[in-house]
Amino acid sequence: MKLAIIGGTKLAVTLGNKYMSRGVDVIFGVRDEFEPKQIEWKILEMQKDKLFGYCQAIESADVVMLCCENEYLPKIVSCLNNSNNSEKIIIDCTNGQYCPDLGCNTTYIQQTAGHQKIYKAFNNLGLDYPKSDPLELLKETYFCGDCENEKTRVKKLIELIGFKAIDAGKLQNAFLLEAFYHLRKEITHVKNSSSDYHFKLMSV
């Protein structure tokens, strides 16, 4: 299995390094004008076989993980529209801007790209992860999607890098997962704290 992680973000390189440490074949898709500035990205650039453009990375992978800024989603979705990519598993790790009337990023990707194997996961971490969790105390993520067979693969991918995978049901619940992210950011803002806040699921 080859995993493509799309986006030049902290979340992308952090998840990518976690998967590579578990022996997964990982490549990264970045925009044409992307300039590696952080040391992690410079190391990947030196390897020559890790950084590609959006479309090339997507076409080369079996599983595609979206960890990009929202402004680049339309270009990435246009790459997903290629018929050769229709059977790939797409995992959306992003969050749309908070606006109840606009739906969520996952809905946009599904409606625009027309893919059936789309899942939501890791969005609770945020694109700046692990800055939002410097001690890496956060060990769970919620995921949702419709195809049960592929959903098992997504669950195993999550667990492979040490996260507890909490099944949140069908893909229609993706907007709820984004709402969790926005709620914790609002709590952080209201608290006016240098710390970040996360949710933990408990059974009582």
Side-chain angles (χ1 to χ4, degrees):
M1 183 198 75
K2 180 172 285 189
L3 171 64
I5 300 183
I6 309 300
T9 62
K10 187 67 175 175
L11 177 64
V13 73
T14 300
L15 292 181
N17 283 332
K18 285 180 180 292
Y19 280 112
M20 286 189 289
S21 72
R22 299 298 192 274
V24 178
D25 186 4
V26 179
I27 58 175
F28 297 83
V30 295
R31 60 190 184 276
D32 293 338
E33 66 275 16
F34 178 72
E35 295 183 8
K37 294 181 180 179
Q38 298 174 333
I39 185 64
E40 299 96 332
W41 286 109
K42 290 181 178 180
I43 291 172
L44 290 171
E45 185 184 38
M46 289 189 292
Q47 296 182 46
K48 303 299 182 185
D49 62 344
K50 289 297 181 185
L51 298 188
F52 300 92
Y54 291 146
C55 292
Q56 186 177 356
I58 291 170
E59 291 170 6
S60 302
D62 305 298
V63 178
V64 179
M65 193 173 287
L66 306 182
C67 301
C68 61
E69 298 93 339
N70 289 339
E71 61 188 292
Y72 303 115
L73 267 180
K75 186 172 183 179
I76 292 166
V77 170
S78 71
C79 293
L80 290 174
N81 272 323
N82 188 315
S83 60
N84 294 328
N85 300 324
S86 61
E87 292 301 311
K88 299 181 188 297
I89 294 175
I90 311 299
I91 303 175
D92 175 28
C93 309
T94 69
N95 293 288
Q97 293 184 351
Y98 176 61
C99 182
D101 296 331
L102 295 181
C104 70
N105 279 359
T106 312
T107 302
Y108 165 75
I109 295 165
Q110 183 184 36
Q111 292 177 347
T112 309
H115 280 254
Q116 299 302 312
K117 300 179 181 179
I118 298 180
Y119 300 85
K120 189 80 166 182
F122 291 121
N123 73 293
N124 62 309
L125 304 182
L127 294 183
D128 61 347
Y129 179 82
K131 182 181 178 182
S132 60
D133 180 29
L135 299 179
E136 296 194 37
L137 299 176
L138 185 60
K139 295 298 182 183
E140 58 189 27
T141 189
Y142 308 92
F143 73 108
C144 63
D146 293 335
C147 181
E148 291 300 325
N149 290 337
E150 304 296 358
K151 198 174 185 181
T152 300
R153 292 184 64 188
V154 173
K155 181 176 185 291
K156 290 180 178 178
L157 266 177
I158 293 169
E159 294 173 340
L160 181 62
I161 56 173
F163 286 89
K164 181 179 180 180
I166 299 173
D167 192 336
K170 298 293 187 179
L171 190 66
Q172 65 184 17
N173 294 330
F175 81 98
L176 294 175
L177 302 193
E178 289 199 11
F180 259 88
Y181 170 81
H182 291 301
L183 179 57
R184 76 169 183 82
K185 297 302 287 185
E186 282 298 309
I187 291 171
T188 300
H189 175 71
V190 170
K191 292 281 188 180
N192 194 23
S193 171
S194 59
S195 300
D196 215 319
Y197 290 81
H198 296 276
F199 296 103
K200 183 172 182 62
L201 188 68
M202 294 188 298
S203 176
V204 296

